[in-house]
Amino acid sequence: MTLNIAVIVKLEPDFSEGSVSYNPDGTLNRAETKSRLGAHSAIASLAAFYTKVKYGGYISICSMGPPMAEIALQEAQSISDADELHLYSDRLFASADTLATAEVLKQGIKKMNTGKEMDIVFSGHRASDGETGQTGPQTAWKLGFTFLGNVIDFSVDLNNRYIFAKRLVALPGFYDIVEEIQAPLPVFIAIDPSYKPTFDTISLRLTSGRYLKEAKERAVNYKSYLNVLDHKKLELDPRLVGLPGSPTIVHKVEKIPKARTTRSAELIEGDDRQGIINSVTKILQLIQK
Amino acid sequence: MENCDVTIVGGGSAGLAALKHLSSLGKQAILLEAGKEIGSKNVSGGILYSKKSNNGKIYNVEDIYGESFLNESPYERLITKYILNATSKDKIFSIDLTESHDYQTNFGVSVLLNKLNSWFAQEAQIEAEKLGGGIITGVHVRSLRWDEKSSKIIVETDELEEFETKVMIAADGVNSEIAEMTNAREKFSPSELYQGVKVLVKLPEKIIEERFNITNSDEGAAYLFAGDVSLNLIGGGFLYTNRDSLSIGGVYHYDSLLEHPIEPTEIVNAMLRNPLISELIKDDVPLKEIDKTLPKEEQVRKSFAITKLLNNWNELRQLYYSHKLKKKSIEDRKYTSEDEIKSKLDNLTQKLTNEYHTKFMTNYIELEYTTKLVPDGKRGRMKKPYYKNILFIGDAAGRGLFIGPRIEGLNVGIDDAARASIAIARSLDKNNFESNYLGDFYSQSIEQSPYTVDMKEIDKQYLGVILNSTRKKISPDALGFKHKLVFNLISNQGLRNFFISLINKYGYTRLLSFIESEDVYYKIPIKIADKLGTVKSSTYIPQIPTVQDRVAKLCYHEDTISHIKILNSGKNFLKKMVTLCPTKCYSLEGNDVVLQHEGCIECGTCSKETEWRHPRGEKGVLFKYG
Ligand SMILES: Cc1cc2nc3c(=O)[nH]c(=O)nc-3n(C[C@H](O)[C@H](O)[C@H](O)COP(=O)(O)OP(=O)(O)OC[C@H]3O[C@@H](n4cnc5c(N)ncnc54)[C@H](O)[C@@H]3O)c2cc1C
Ligand code: SF4
């Protein structure tokens, strides 16, 4: 028996230096900023990969977004060795809030792997571009799956169809707790950013090596794994998606101004002895203060 | 506990050949390599040989990887010119030894081990995978024990759960921990080792061909050096042409270094300063200079712009001087003609000079600095290269072949690998891993290898070929009375054969200290260069980087835990390491020697009197070229 694994991923602005671009008023310039698979989505893809290596499985990855979001799917495939890619793309999906997004994702997940029921759905902790972390729980609720958040480690009992998971519960200002949970499959897992898979036996290493090689080859031909689905193919009621399906009323959007740099860097060449002496003196003075 | 049939420890050229050959024989095997990637820990000079012999079968690289090896593998150049240079200050005397190089040789190709071993790994992995085996990198084998009942080996690593294996191949190199943890052999003594040092120098393809008079672009030259470049040590230098780089270095008797400690960088520096070599390596090197009087922000802007232009300049120049890249870029319609590339390159040069005041000076560019111990098979090879159900191959078994101008380890390790694989396949078929069935069979096979014969006896014919080449150019009168007498005696074939038979009978190894002497390595070459050499002059003084600069260029994945432990900080041996460690990891504090393991390039020079291990999986130095 193997597992049916789904992963929800998101195309996000690449905030790294050289890729990100801001408008003069400090807001993100989406047109100029490069996009790529979000960091949390990458970790979710890695968790799916681990599951496939350890227990065997069929991985389907989905994303809701514009046509260019297929590059996020490609990157996720190169991490996870996905067997199938879904892109939910439709003008009607625009301006969706988390609930409307969850509706699309739920419907898509039901169509994965020729409609077989998923055993585990992975999502990232949350997105980095102004998402509120609710899409995951809402999709889980719509699917009727148990939701497990902040998962840092897990194992599956295939015979009895149980998952054992460790959750990192942070109590800000106090301490962190690791909670151990047992839940029946199917489950929806929001993977914690600190998750790190370990391949610590020969067979896991050999299998992961083989799948990883396959993943790189597949990702080159990702288009042959890709299904683009609109609201019709997903058999979605237009009233439940996009703006009409979004009950959220945005009260006010706080612009996050581009942070003013508070640091000022001074460039010292390696051969500038006096420069080096001056800065070391300055640092020493600051420490003494 | 998981289990497998065969475990190979070490993914150098020997271990990889074992994986490939075992898989070809239909046997499942896994290979564990400590480095993060295959090839990242391996160092060679290096020329990879394919040989033939009247003394029996040799398993060559093409026997393991297929007859199309020369068409498919990423070797650098086919060596068709082999020159020995005797040096004395600015005087050089060259002797063409191509005939001796070609003696019993199918081919010799220059190689860079990172690239070559990665290719070997790719080929071996395809076969191993089919049988459920394969390569696992980033895993360091820490200890072994035996299951009393089954006699299987239980392998403990720093990274994986322990597992069982029926049989093991130790291909973990000269500083073999498997040999040490099993006591299969003693640590090599200084007289059984060489220290090899090398720098890789960048030089465009076409310039290499012009300087070395190479007419066929796939061919190349190899130069050996003896004389004052060896700094009065027993050893010699080499310079090999790669596609677009030169491997320059030396291989020195380790006991001679312990007697007269000298910094390993000084050995390569002496080579680089030799006028013949400095002229061969020189190139136009841009000097990035920024006007310090400009405002700071302007300086940064300029610096970024120059870096970008220089990158373009480097790329375009490499393309312009490379046959293949140039042809491809024109075929791909990136450029219309060679002239267009040339004019773009000239424009860039002008822009750099005129707009950014970049100066171009005559100097040379180093890409990588490496050092490693190499075992001398004549003295140190394991007489019985096995322990229980573990077979030792390659450097781990001490099987380097160093005879006169012959510097061979890669091909010997490949031959060992094939023999070990055959012995193991036979044992797997009979499910018998007893020493008298597996170990003894392998040991006998190794004894029959023509390489072992070469380690034990002088080959009369080979000596004759070398003497012939030498006689053509050197009159014995140039040698002085004593050496003239010896030279004349051994030049006579009848007498030579008589003496060699006597030596081989008496014990070649006992006479090695006379054969590998100061006279042979530097006194005679200096005399010859002085008398017969021509004066070479250099048009510039190469600006040689410091050790710190060289180390700064290397790539490391630092481990917080030191893989080396000092046992007695006051010992004389360790004091010598302050000089002999190639990356200056040792220093003196009062009367005690302290070690800073960061920067270690895992050469093994200090291993004799320390607790020495390889770093844990993925940690330590990562060589880009090797
Ligand atoms: C400067 C120099 C010049 C040379 N020139 C030539 C030449 O021109 N021609 C020639 O044929 N030979 C030459 N040699 C010799 C040749 O390079 C070596 O003989 C050869 O590379 C040895 O290969 P090997 O596979 O036995 O060992 P290595 O290449 O040393 O491989 C051993 C591997 O084992 C791994 N390892 C070690 N311990 C462990 C562990 N516990 N767990 C997991 N992995 C482990 C290491 O990371 C390493 O990758 C030269 C050597 C030097 C240094
Ligand atoms: S510390 Fe030892 S092994 Fe490391 S580079 Fe120095 S001498 Fe070589």
Side-chain angles (χ1 to χ4, degrees):
Chain A
M1 193 201 118
T2 60
L3 293 166
N4 281 320
I5 306 153
V7 192
I8 301 172
V9 300
K10 197 161 180 254
L11 183 75
E12 287 175 22
D14 182 355
F15 286 101
S16 62
E17 201 183 330
S19 301
V20 69
S21 170
Y22 294 98
N23 295 319
D25 67 350
T27 54
L28 189 72
N29 180 343
R30 284 195 184 252
E32 293 266 309
T33 298
K34 285 185 195 150
S35 291
R36 60 174 302 175
L37 179 73
H40 293 291
S41 298
I43 298 173
S45 309
L46 195 58
F49 178 68
Y50 172 79
T51 315
K52 178 170 175 162
V53 170
K54 179 129 189 185
Y55 304 102
Y58 184 94
I59 299 183
S60 314
I61 303 196
C62 69
S63 185
M64 186 184 100
M68 70 177 286
E70 66 181 42
I71 59 163
L73 289 169
Q74 182 189 24
E75 205 178 328
Q77 187 177 35
S78 76
I79 297 172
S80 65
D81 192 30
D83 302 273
E84 177 185 50
L85 307 174
H86 275 196
L87 177 63
Y88 311 134
S89 202
D90 195 320
R91 273 162 198 269
L92 292 187
F93 300 161
S95 309
D97 70 357
T98 54
L99 193 70
T101 306
E103 178 63 18
V104 175
L105 295 174
K106 171 211 74 180
Q107 201 66 2
I109 288 168
K110 284 190 164 172
K111 298 223 170 290
M112 284 172 168
N113 194 6
T114 60
K116 293 199 183 79
E117 194 186 29
M118 290 295 118
D119 296 307
I120 307 176
V121 180
F122 288 104
S123 80
H125 181 56
R126 61 188 160 85
S128 59
D129 60 341
E131 193 236 292
T132 48
Q134 294 173 62
T135 315
Q138 284 171 345
T139 312
W141 166 69
K142 285 194 179 235
L143 286 164
F145 287 15
T146 311
F147 178 82
L148 306 174
N150 295 87
V151 170
I152 51 168
D153 193 13
F154 58 90
S155 64
V156 181
D157 178 344
L158 283 178
N159 291 330
N160 299 309
R161 293 189 50 77
Y162 270 103
I163 189 158
F164 302 91
K166 285 187 184 162
R167 298 181 58 229
L168 183 69
V169 186
L171 302 174
F174 295 97
Y175 40 76
D176 292 350
I177 298 171
V178 175
E179 191 180 76
E180 291 188 26
I181 289 188
Q182 180 182 345
L185 295 178
V187 288
F188 189 112
I189 289 181
I191 203 87
D192 192 82
S194 64
Y195 169 77
K196 240 195 175 125
T198 41
F199 299 100
D200 59 359
T201 63
I202 316 174
S203 50
L204 281 179
R205 285 286 181 111
L206 289 175
T207 317
S208 75
R210 220 172 41 239
Y211 282 161
L212 209 57
K213 200 168 118 198
E214 187 177 76
K216 305 287 172 232
E217 285 160 11
R218 284 183 172 183
V220 174
N221 295 316
Y222 74 98
K223 286 209 192 247
S224 59
Y225 296 85
L226 181 69
N227 301 303
V228 183
L229 306 172
D230 59 10
H231 80 278
K232 277 195 200 127
K233 285 192 186 147
L234 285 166
E235 297 173 90
L236 275 164
D237 181 343
R239 284 170 305 175
L240 296 180
V241 298
L243 200 54
S246 302
T248 311
I249 297 167
V250 177
H251 165 60
K252 186 177 162 200
V253 177
E254 293 273 347
K255 261 191 209 154
I256 307 173
K258 186 179 162 192
R260 277 254 182 82
T261 37
T262 49
R263 296 166 303 157
S264 69
E266 201 179 319
L267 200 79
I268 308 161
E269 294 286 334
D271 53 4
D272 177 4
R273 281 186 70 83
Q274 198 48 48
I276 294 171
I277 292 169
N278 290 350
S279 4
V280 173
T281 321
K282 215 188 259 175
I283 293 168
L284 283 176
Q285 281 168 354
L286 283 172
I287 293 171
Q288 276 159 7
K289 258 192 213 165
Chain B
M1 194 185 307
E2 289 197 342
N3 59 71
C4 61
D5 285 350
V6 189
T7 301
I8 301 161
V9 183
S13 46
L16 291 166
L19 180 67
K20 175 73 169 64
H21 204 56
L22 271 165
S23 309
S24 311
L25 296 171
K27 305 299 173 202
Q28 182 218 53
I30 59 157
L31 182 150
L32 304 178
E33 163 57 41
K36 189 165 192 264
E37 284 151 21
I38 289 287
S40 59
K41 297 279 185 190
N42 312 116
V43 177
S44 191
I47 301 179
L48 168 63
Y49 287 98
S50 165
K51 309 280 288 191
K52 53 193 166 210
S53 169
N54 303 329
N55 291 326
K57 164 92 186 145
I58 290 178
Y59 295 92
N60 280 314
V61 64
E62 31 342 335
D63 294 313
I64 310 291
Y65 296 96
E67 285 303 324
S68 51
F69 171 77
L70 280 183
N71 298 327
E72 289 170 10
S73 73
Y75 73 85
E76 298 293 315
R77 288 174 188 271
L78 182 72
I79 300 300
T80 50
K81 230 182 254 180
Y82 200 70
I83 314 278
L84 174 66
N85 299 285
T87 67
S88 175
K89 299 201 184 80
D90 56 353
K91 282 186 155 185
I92 317 263
F93 183 72
S94 306
I95 307 166
D96 190 333
L97 285 187
T98 309
E99 207 182 326
S100 68
H101 175 262
D102 291 347
Y103 174 76
Q104 296 194 332
T105 297
N106 301 317
F107 60 79
V109 286
S110 56
V111 298
L112 291 172
L113 265 198
N114 187 316
K115 215 197 285 178
L116 185 77
N117 279 349
S118 306
W119 184 82
F120 284 156
Q122 181 194 308
E123 296 294 300
Q125 176 71 16
I126 294 171
E127 295 296 318
E129 230 173 48
K130 291 180 194 158
L131 300 158
I135 297 170
I136 303 174
T137 54
V139 175
H140 173 247
V141 174
R142 187 181 50 208
S143 73
L144 308 173
R145 58 180 205 275
W146 275 260
D147 183 281
E148 275 178 28
K149 265 200 208 137
S150 67
S151 303
K152 282 186 186 168
I153 307 164
I154 300 165
V155 186
E156 274 180 51
T157 67
D158 286 325
E159 294 77 18
L160 304 179
E161 284 178 11
E162 58 182 34
F163 64 93
E164 274 185 339
T165 185
K166 287 181 186 161
V167 53
M168 176 175 278
I169 293 183
D172 51 341
V174 61
N175 304 302
S176 168
E177 285 169 68
I178 306 286
E180 186 157 354
M181 60 182 90
T182 55
N183 268 326
R185 62 163 164 81
E186 303 249 307
K187 275 187 184 179
F188 292 124
S189 71
S191 66
E192 293 166 341
L193 290 167
Y194 296 91
Q195 191 189 51
V197 199
K198 178 177 122 174
V199 289
L200 190 71
V201 169
K202 186 175 160 189
L203 197 63
E205 211 174 308
K206 235 168 79 181
I207 298 184
I208 292 182
E209 282 151 25
E210 281 162 18
R211 296 227 174 116
F212 290 84
N213 295 322
I214 297 165
T215 43
N216 181 335
S217 68
D218 281 333
E219 294 182 359
Y223 285 11
L224 293 186
F225 291 84
D228 66 349
V229 280
S230 73
L231 304 173
N232 294 355
L233 293 161
I234 302 195
F238 61 82
L239 182 159
Y240 303 145
T241 55
N242 302 315
R243 179 131 310 270
D244 53 8
S245 63
L246 305 174
S247 295
I248 300 173
V251 178
Y252 287 79
H253 279 261
Y254 185 51
D255 46 357
S256 146
L257 286 166
L258 276 177
E259 222 170 281
H260 310 282
I262 183 160
E263 288 183 14
T265 48
E266 282 309 319
I267 291 175
V268 274
N269 295 353
M271 291 277 290
L272 296 165
R273 283 194 197 105
N274 180 279
L276 173 72
I277 300 179
S278 12
E279 280 304 294
L280 286 170
I281 59 176
K282 75 175 178 190
D283 198 4
D284 287 340
V285 180
L287 202 65
K288 185 174 151 182
E289 261 179 9
I290 289 162
D291 183 356
K292 294 251 167 79
T293 58
L294 290 172
K296 282 269 151 87
E297 283 207 2
E298 186 60 11
Q299 284 187 37
V300 175
R301 207 185 58 75
K302 276 240 151 94
S303 166
F304 279 24
I306 298 179
T307 308
K308 203 170 163 190
L309 276 182
L310 280 177
N311 285 344
N312 293 348
W313 182 83
N314 269 321
E315 246 173 56
L316 202 61
R317 190 160 180 265
Q318 195 192 0
L319 183 104
Y320 177 68
Y321 283 114
S322 153
H323 304 282
K324 272 195 196 136
L325 292 178
K326 192 162 55 188
K327 201 168 148 222
K328 191 165 182 299
S329 75
I330 296 172
E331 272 169 13
D332 292 351
R333 313 229 166 136
K334 239 180 127 183
Y335 301 99
T336 51
S337 64
E338 183 169 342
D339 290 342
E340 190 197 340
I341 303 174
K342 177 84 177 75
S343 84
K344 285 229 157 99
L345 183 61
D346 290 344
N347 286 347
L348 262 179
T349 314
Q350 268 183 5
K351 192 167 179 183
L352 278 163
T353 328
N354 301 340
E355 283 178 38
Y356 291 92
H357 311 292
T358 305
K359 289 195 188 96
F360 287 83
M361 61 182 287
T362 306
N363 199 8
Y364 79 103
I365 299 175
E366 267 185 32
L367 295 171
E368 191 169 75
Y369 167 62
T370 48
T371 306
K372 187 125 200 152
L373 289 185
V374 211
D376 177 5
K378 300 191 294 296
R379 299 173 168 93
R381 73 180 184 283
M382 287 171 83
K383 299 294 176 309
K384 287 200 165 185
Y386 67 87
Y387 176 82
K388 291 189 178 172
N389 39 354
I390 304 178
L391 309 185
F392 290 81
I393 65 171
D395 280 11
R399 293 182 50 78
L401 185 52
F402 294 83
I403 302 163
R406 281 180 78 178
I407 308 176
E408 298 171 26
L410 298 167
N411 50 333
V412 183
I414 289 172
D415 182 63
D416 295 350
R419 289 170 194 278
S421 306
I422 292 165
I424 286 175
R426 176 176 168 269
S427 278
L428 284 169
D429 288 342
K430 288 276 184 295
N431 199 27
N432 183 349
F433 306 97
E434 295 292 325
S435 294
N436 59 11
Y437 191 75
L438 171 67
D440 286 347
F441 179 85
Y442 171 60
S443 196
Q444 273 167 23
S445 170
I446 286 290
E447 276 304 292
Q448 283 159 8
S449 165
Y451 292 135
T452 312
V453 177
D454 287 343
M455 287 173 203
K456 291 199 292 196
E457 294 174 4
I458 297 180
D459 180 345
K460 294 171 201 157
Q461 245 180 312
Y462 180 55
L463 187 63
V465 176
I466 296 186
L467 285 169
N468 266 347
S469 312
T470 321
R471 274 185 72 87
K472 277 184 208 157
K473 296 242 356 197
I474 302 174
S475 141
D477 292 331
L479 299 175
F481 179 72
K482 186 176 92 186
H483 297 131
K484 180 180 162 183
L485 196 72
V486 178
F487 193 77
N488 280 338
L489 276 176
I490 57 171
S491 293
N492 176 306
Q493 197 182 349
L495 276 178
R496 182 171 71 234
N497 287 352
F498 171 75
F499 280 125
I500 292 177
S501 305
L502 213 66
I503 290 173
N504 285 344
K505 204 164 164 196
Y506 173 70
Y508 170 38
T509 39
R510 277 187 252 181
L511 280 167
L512 280 177
S513 52
F514 295 103
I515 300 169
E516 296 182 339
S517 62
E518 295 170 355
D519 280 356
V520 176
Y521 278 92
Y522 60 88
K523 286 192 178 156
I524 300 176
I526 289 176
K527 208 181 272 178
I528 292 174
D530 274 337
K531 286 210 171 156
L532 306 172
T534 44
V535 174
K536 297 268 173 202
S537 55
S538 182
T539 48
Y540 72 109
I541 298 168
Q543 291 191 359
I544 294 174
T546 60
V547 179
Q548 286 77 6
D549 290 339
R550 283 175 168 152
V551 172
K553 271 203 167 168
L554 294 169
C555 182
Y556 291 93
H557 203 284
E558 285 302 352
D559 197 346
T560 42
I561 306 169
S562 174
H563 55 288
I564 305 169
K565 284 202 182 83
I566 289 182
L567 299 172
N568 181 345
S569 60
K571 270 197 136 179
N572 211 12
F573 174 86
L574 279 185
K575 291 192 176 145
K576 292 186 178 173
M577 290 307 121
V578 176
T579 310
L580 282 177
C581 169
T583 49
K584 292 192 172 291
C585 290
Y586 288 91
S587 52
L588 259 180
E589 266 182 24
N591 218 12
D592 283 342
V593 178
V594 290
L595 163 74
Q596 202 178 350
H597 74 280
E598 295 89 353
C600 167
I601 49 174
E602 300 155 37
C603 66
T605 301
C606 65
S607 66
K608 180 75 185 146
E609 294 187 25
T610 54
E611 202 182 294
W612 200 99
R613 291 179 154 265
H614 294 85
R616 293 182 295 171
E618 298 195 358
K619 307 283 188 201
V621 71
L622 282 146
F623 294 124
K624 274 191 246 158
Y625 303 92

